Amino acid sequence: DQQVKQNSPSLSVQEGRISILNCDYTNSMFDYFLWYKKYPAEGPTFLISISSIKDKNEDGRFTVFLNKSAKHLSLHIVPSQPGDSAVYFCAATGNTGKLIFGQGTTLQVKP
Amino acid sequence: DVKVTQSSRYLVKRTGEKVFLECVQDMDHENMFWYRQDPGLGLRLIYFSYDVKMKEKGDIPEGYSVSREKKERFSLILESASTNQTSMYLCASSVTSGGTGELFFGEGSRLTVL
């Protein structure tokens, strides 16, 4: 049972355009959401997070939007850069203390 | 900076061998985790630990065990490796006991079981 789903395995965008990565979850007990970025042969690194009491969090070029009623969050990268090419994982946690990850979306930003 | 170090980046083992994956963190974090990453499946939690000598099963603990004798060290053990355990293994640690804290990951250990 996949509680966190990233339904798009891959995404390709042109440099300078917006990248939108989507994530859906099923567990209404999740109250904190994170995005991680992973380059090949490296461990994932934290990118941005959002609490369920907010609907938007922004950090430079990265913005995460949370729609609790739809159980959906998205990561926007504007403008996209070739160095953003990586695998992006959405993750969620609630009162269990466990961080549950999605399947990941591979983003390719073309120069 | 937080550093999570995994002892082996690449391992090749034979079916039935016992495998130890070691992980050490240097920031006095209470929580440590073992995940495996597989294409199309994302990161799946194997085991985690909130304190020394404490361990909790994650979502896929079958075929694995763990050991946390010291706060900074969390070991993953495959008692009898099988080919379906070929994967990338990622260790992580965090400072917030409530589980909402950011996870800091090691670089990963790619295990191939022949």
Side-chain angles (χ1 to χ4, degrees), chain B residues 24-44:
Chain B
V24 177
Q25 50 95 2
D26 65 359
M27 284 300 291
D28 202 35
H29 285 179
E30 294 173 344
N31 313 314
M32 296 189 76
F33 306 81
W34 275 106
Y35 287 86
R36 63 178 281 179
Q37 181 195 356
D38 300 288
L41 298 177
L43 277 67
R44 293 181 292 167

Side-chain angles (χ1 to χ4, degrees), chain A residues 4 10 19 32 34 37 53 55 72 79 82 92 100 105 110:
Chain A
V4 179
S10 62
S19 296
Y32 196 72
L34 305 91
K37 176 179 177 180
I53 63 173
D55 55 17
H72 176 84
I100 307 298
T105 297
K110 297 179 179 178

Side-chain angles (χ1 to χ4, degrees), chain A residues 82-103:
Chain A
D84 296 330
S85 298
V87 180
Y88 289 80
F89 291 99
C90 166
T93 185
N95 57 5
T96 65
K98 295 192 298 185
L99 199 59
I100 307 298
F101 285 83
Q103 305 98 310

Side-chain angles (χ1 to χ4, degrees), chain B residues 27-91:
Chain B
M27 284 300 291
D28 202 35
H29 285 179
E30 294 173 344
N31 313 314
M32 296 189 76
F33 306 81
W34 275 106
Y35 287 86
R36 63 178 281 179
Q37 181 195 356
D38 300 288
L41 298 177
L43 277 67
R44 293 181 292 167
L45 182 62
I46 305 171
Y47 266 97
F48 61 107
S49 169
Y50 285 142
D51 202 350
V52 176
K53 298 197 184 291
M54 291 184 65
K55 59 185 179 184
E56 296 282 344
K57 291 181 180 179
D59 298 317
I60 51 165
E62 297 79 16
Y64 302 95
S65 62
V66 290
S67 173
R68 185 126 182 243
E69 296 296 320
K70 294 184 177 181
K71 191 173 185 179
E72 67 271 18
R73 188 179 298 271
F74 194 36
S75 303
L76 180 69
I77 303 155
L78 288 67
E79 292 289 343
S80 178
S82 63
T83 55
N84 63 11
Q85 292 178 310
T86 291
S87 186
M88 168 70 84
Y89 289 88
L90 293 159
C91 176

Side-chain angles (χ1 to χ4, degrees), chain A residues 21-109:
Chain A
L21 295 93
N22 293 303
C23 179
D24 296 294
Y25 62 96
T26 57
N27 190 337
S28 57
M29 299 302 292
F30 288 149
D31 59 6
Y32 196 72
F33 305 89
L34 305 91
W35 284 92
Y36 280 80
K37 176 179 177 180
K38 185 181 185 299
Y39 293 116
E42 294 183 13
T45 54
F46 170 75
L47 192 57
I48 192 169
S49 63
I50 188 166
S51 164
S52 60
I53 63 173
K54 294 185 174 183
D55 55 17
K56 177 183 174 180
N57 188 27
E58 191 171 352
D59 183 3
R61 297 186 296 115
F62 302 91
T63 303
V64 56
F65 295 92
L66 175 63
N67 182 334
K68 289 189 294 292
S69 60
K71 294 190 176 68
H72 176 84
L73 63 156
S74 60
L75 174 68
H76 293 212
I77 307 174
V78 182
S80 301
Q81 299 173 354
D84 296 330
S85 298
V87 180
Y88 289 80
F89 291 99
C90 166
T93 185
N95 57 5
T96 65
K98 295 192 298 185
L99 199 59
I100 307 298
F101 285 83
Q103 305 98 310
T105 297
T106 300
L107 172 66
Q108 182 184 25
V109 180

